[in-house]
């Protein structure tokens, strides 16, 4: 599969989960800390799962807006996507992710909202990247 790349960004991390990450253009700059649940000290900072959850939620709203522009129901200004990302050991070895997207589309009929979410899941780049690799559950709330 080829991709007609329209935008690129680069980020660099040092120190792993207890380090630092920043985009090379300086737009994002975060201290990284390992959550206590994964054996770290917790504390101030972010972790890769938080960054992934925020990115997926924002991207999914963009995917819904794209679908709406192709004739789907309008995405209300107060629409939200709550992305919950879990991490843990896989039965096959190594670690894996688990994702739930809870989508709120106030004022959109439930059947229309569910159809919009299903179509967005087919075009969202995060959904395409995780498909077949990560369990992603979608709910309209």
């Amino acid at each position: 599969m080829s991709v007609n790349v329209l935008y690129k960004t680069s980020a660099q991390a040092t120190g792993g989960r207890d380090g630092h990450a920043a985009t090379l253009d300086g737009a994002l700059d975060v201290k990284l800390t390992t959550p206590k649940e994964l054996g770290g000290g917790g504390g101030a900072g972010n972790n890769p799962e938080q960054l992934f959850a925020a990115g997926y939620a924002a991207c999914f709203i963009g995917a819904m807006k794209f679908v709406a522009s192709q004739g789907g129901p309008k995405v209300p200004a107060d629409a939200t996507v709550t992305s919950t990302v879990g991490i843990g050991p896989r039965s096959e070895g190594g670690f894996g992710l688990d994702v739930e997207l809870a989508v709120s589309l106030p004022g959109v009929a439930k059947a229309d909202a569910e159809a919009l979410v299903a179509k967005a899941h087919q075009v969202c780049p995060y959904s395409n990247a995780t498909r077949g690799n990560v369990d992603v559950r979608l709910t309209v709330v």
Side-chain angles (χ1 to χ4, degrees):
M1 169 185 33
S2 65
V3 176
N4 179 18
V5 176
L6 300 176
Y7 169 78
K8 283 186 181 184
T9 188
S10 297
Q12 187 173 66
T14 58
R17 288 182 166 273
D18 287 307
H20 174 261
T23 55
L24 298 186
D25 65 6
L28 176 71
D29 191 318
V30 294
K31 177 182 187 283
L32 301 172
T33 57
T34 302
K36 289 181 181 181
E37 296 85 349
L38 295 178
N46 295 103
N47 61 63
E49 292 71 38
Q50 290 171 323
L51 299 172
F52 184 76
Y56 201 161
C59 191
F60 201 83
I61 290 174
M64 290 191 300
K65 289 180 176 181
F66 173 79
V67 169
S69 77
Q70 305 296 304
K74 186 175 183 327
V75 176
D78 57 349
T80 62
V81 173
T82 302
S83 174
T84 303
V85 174
I87 183 173
R90 296 176 349 127
S91 58
E92 301 86 355
F95 290 85
L97 297 175
D98 177 85
V99 177
E100 181 175 353
L101 301 180
V103 182
S104 173
L105 296 162
V108 178
K110 182 131 180 152
D112 292 338
E114 288 172 343
L116 176 66
V117 166
K119 288 177 184 173
H121 191 47
Q122 295 307 306
V123 300
C124 176
Y126 278 66
S127 294
N128 286 332
T130 59
R131 188 168 289 109
N133 299 305
V134 176
D135 184 19
V136 177
R137 291 172 311 287
L138 306 167
T139 57
V140 174
V141 295

